[in-house]
């Protein structure tokens, strides 16, 4: 599971092991954002670099585009990519002229292309793959390395390279996925050539579900309800495929609900000393608590690790709203307004359709019997609903909840750009997509 169903907050959770409200990153940061990941936070790249790893990020960053927040200030030795989503450019189909400046491409801290156009976007996947393969070749077996590949697509707008355009029955979306699949294959082949494949954890996952308003450019959540921008399973349940020779049993499947916040503590335990815990039982990086847990036992297929299926998972969306809590098969929703494309005309060709508001009541779902999350079973299982409500209270006390007016005792602020002016609101077409936390609102 992604911790939230939207870009920046999800990536922040993956790289820090923290729920987004703990570190002050919500929604999706854009060119007008004045904040980013705080210097006090420890990213997975910083942790591994401290253990002697060479580190690189190729692709989308999306955790602050001002200099103090760039990847090279947060543990990455190398960075080639874009600072935010590839739709935050002058050609956005819904943005008024002048809403977005030209999209830049960074190499390290320097802008090497100050106006990424459509032709450039069509070469991005290949260019990023080439840098990833080169990084692996340069590291080889001489030094351990951490490579974070964050392809800007299949986030819209979609562009496939010349070798892939028009080659699949899935249209442009299928062509883009075919090129990304080939990218994963090229990276795996580079690991094999370097001799590092046998002792490298190769993990593929996503930051949220499909952006359903884009129709044929969105993909599908399959049997799961809704998509990106909602805390229904279609928004937060994402693929996760992992390979580590001699550790992860080949062909095994794990059905326990895990979350991206678990990646940092799990990798920490695989690469050196496991993280220590504080008096409250939370794992600590440096002196700061995080929210993830080491799930190495589940990766190894250890039967005792199955208890992780009974952990509490909290799902937040914009403005620090705790909208649902899950434990095992059960998921309790709290009243909020989501969005849906049901009954609406789907988008096509890169232009989105229009969502309609979806009022969500308090309801308890049973994901085993009702994976589509359509039926409230709270009356049949009041003890389950009560237990999840109590878990939600613990989340609110620690991390806050705008829906109930709570401020979390353990929430930390995002970093602020020292020369920034007053915070600016996101453009109207992005109000349900970009960050609208208090730190980013006028």
């Amino acid at each position: 599971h992604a911790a939230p169903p939207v870009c920046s907050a999800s990536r922040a959770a993956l790289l820090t092991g923290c729920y987004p409200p703990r570190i002050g990153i919500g929604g999706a940061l854009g060119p007008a954002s004045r904040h980013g990941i705080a210097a006090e936070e420890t990213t997975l790249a910083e942790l591994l670099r401290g253990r002697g790893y060479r580190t690189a990020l190729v692709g989308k960053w999306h955790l602050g585009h001002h200099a103090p927040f760039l990847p090279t200030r947060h543990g990455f030795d190398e960075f080639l990519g874009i600072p935010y989503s590839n739709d935050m450019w002058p050609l956005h189909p819904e943005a008024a002229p002048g809403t977005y400046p030209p999209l830049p491409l960074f190499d390290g801290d320097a802008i090497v292309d100050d106006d990424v156009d459509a032709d450039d976007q069509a070469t991005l996947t290949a260019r990023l793959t080439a840098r990833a393969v080169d990084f692996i070749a340069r590291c080889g077996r001489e030094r351990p390395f951490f490579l974070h590949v964050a392809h800007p697509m299949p986030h819209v707008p979609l562009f496939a390279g010349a070798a892939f355009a028009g080659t699949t029955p899935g249209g442009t979306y299928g062509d883009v996925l075919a090129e990304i699949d080939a990218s994963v294959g090229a990276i795996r082949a580079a690991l094999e050539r370097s001799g590092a494949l046998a002792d490298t954890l190769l993990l593929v996952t996503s930051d949220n579900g499909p952006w359903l308003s884009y129709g044929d450019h969105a993909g599908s959540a399959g049997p799961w309800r809704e998509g990106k921008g909602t805390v229904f399973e279609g928004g937060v349940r994402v693929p996760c495929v992992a390979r580590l020779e001699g550790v992860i049993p080949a062909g095994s499947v794990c059905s326990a609900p895990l979350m991206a916040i678990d990646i940092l503590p799990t990798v920490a335990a695989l690469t050196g000393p496991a993280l220590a815990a504080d008096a409250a039982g939370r794992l600590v990086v440096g002196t700061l608590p995080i929210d993830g847990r080491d799930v190495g036992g589940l990766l190894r297929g250890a039967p005792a690790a199955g208890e992780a299926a009974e952990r509490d998972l909290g799902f937040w969306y914009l403005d620090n709203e705790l909208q649902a809590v899950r434990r095992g098969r059960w998921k309790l929703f709290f009243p909020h307004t989501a969005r849906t494309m049901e009954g609406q005309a789907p988008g096509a060709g890169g232009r989105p359709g229009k969502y309609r508001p979806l009022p969500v009541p308090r309801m308890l779902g049973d994901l085993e019997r009702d994976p589509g999350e359509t039926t409230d079973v709270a009356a049949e299982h009041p003890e389950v609903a009560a237990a999840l409500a109590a878990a939600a209270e613990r989340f609110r006390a620690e991390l806050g909840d705008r829906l109930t007016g709570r401020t979390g005792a353990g929430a930390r602020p995002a970093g602020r750009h020292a020369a920034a002016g007053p915070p600016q609101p996101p453009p109207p077409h992005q109000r349900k997509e970009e960050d609208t936390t208090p730190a980013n609102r006028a």
Side-chain angles (χ1 to χ4, degrees):
H1 289 78
V6 66
C7 310
S8 294
S10 184
R11 291 160 187 271
L14 184 152
L15 284 174
T16 66
C18 295
Y19 282 114
R22 187 176 292 283
I23 57 176
I25 301 290
L29 279 63
S33 298
R34 304 290 198 265
H35 63 290
I37 190 168
E40 293 77 15
E41 305 298 340
T42 299
T43 67
L44 179 56
E46 288 173 300
L47 183 147
L48 290 174
R49 187 161 71 176
R51 295 181 175 187
Y53 281 65
R54 184 79 181 169
T55 60
L57 165 63
V58 297
K60 182 168 81 166
W61 170 236
H62 219 173
L63 294 176
H65 64 285
H66 295 287
F69 312 128
L70 290 175
T72 52
R73 311 298 178 88
H74 289 280
F76 288 100
D77 298 313
E78 302 181 25
F79 168 50
L80 175 67
I82 57 177
Y84 27 74
S85 292
N86 58 326
D87 68 333
M88 295 177 179
W89 67 332
L91 299 181
H92 193 291
E94 291 187 302
T99 299
Y100 288 123
L103 177 66
L105 178 73
F106 281 77
D107 194 335
D109 286 354
I111 294 176
V112 293
D113 184 345
D114 61 4
D115 189 4
V116 173
D117 60 18
D119 290 340
D120 295 325
Q121 292 232 32
T123 67
L124 264 182
T125 300
R127 184 171 183 177
L128 297 171
T129 302
R131 174 62 72 88
V133 168
D134 175 68
F135 175 76
I136 293 169
R138 284 185 281 117
C139 291
R141 292 189 58 81
E142 301 304 314
R143 183 176 175 185
F145 57 87
F146 168 51
L147 171 63
H148 180 28
V149 180
H151 283 300
M153 289 168 270
H155 192 290
V156 292
L158 300 180
F159 296 89
F164 294 89
T167 62
T168 74
T172 301
Y173 189 85
D175 299 342
V176 166
L177 288 189
E179 186 168 16
I180 293 172
D181 191 42
S183 172
V184 175
I187 290 167
R188 185 190 184 284
L191 290 170
E192 195 162 23
R193 286 195 302 273
S194 74
L197 181 62
D199 61 354
T200 295
L201 171 64
L202 181 60
L203 188 148
V204 181
T205 189
S206 181
D207 59 352
N208 49 245
W211 202 347
L212 296 177
S213 63
Y214 278 86
D216 61 352
H217 281 201
S220 168
W224 316 116
R225 186 175 180 182
E226 303 299 342
K228 174 176 178 167
T230 79
V231 299
F232 290 105
E233 291 294 284
V236 292
R237 184 187 291 237
V238 294
C240 184
V241 182
R243 180 193 192 279
L244 182 54
E245 194 170 308
V247 176
I248 302 174
S252 59
V253 176
C254 175
S255 60
L258 308 179
M259 191 174 268
I261 55 175
D262 301 325
I263 292 175
L264 184 148
T266 302
V267 170
L270 286 169
T271 59
L275 300 180
D278 64 11
R282 301 167 303 190
L283 295 179
V284 174
V285 180
T287 61
L288 298 177
I290 66 171
D291 300 294
R293 57 195 290 180
D294 174 13
V295 296
L298 284 167
L299 291 182
R300 296 181 180 90
E307 63 190 25
E310 293 304 312
R311 67 186 296 192
D312 296 325
L313 298 176
F315 297 103
W316 280 264
Y317 189 40
L318 298 186
D319 284 340
N320 197 18
E321 294 182 355
L322 177 59
Q323 296 184 349
V325 172
R326 175 176 175 176
R327 180 185 298 166
R329 66 192 285 181
W330 308 104
K331 189 170 174 184
L332 182 65
F333 290 87
F334 304 102
H336 67 276
T337 301
R339 63 187 190 181
T340 184
M341 286 299 296
E342 290 183 6
Q344 304 293 99
R351 296 197 66 85
K354 299 295 183 183
Y355 286 103
R356 65 174 175 83
L358 176 66
V360 180
R362 180 186 172 99
M363 62 174 283
L364 177 68
D366 180 348
L367 292 170
E368 285 189 8
R369 294 188 176 182
D370 178 30
E373 299 176 286
T374 61
T375 305
D376 181 14
V377 297
E380 297 95 298
H381 303 280
E383 73 291 348
V384 174
L388 286 174
E393 277 300 293
R394 293 190 291 271
F395 279 126
R396 293 181 183 115
E398 180 70 12
L399 300 176
D401 174 24
R402 190 184 70 87
L403 290 172
T404 55
R406 301 286 290 278
T407 298
R412 307 190 285 262
R416 299 292 304 174
H417 182 39
Q424 299 296 312
H429 74 280
Q430 286 281 339
R431 292 261 162 90
K432 287 300 288 180
E433 192 58 41
E434 280 197 29
D435 187 357
T436 54
T437 58
N440 197 37
R441 288 187 293 176

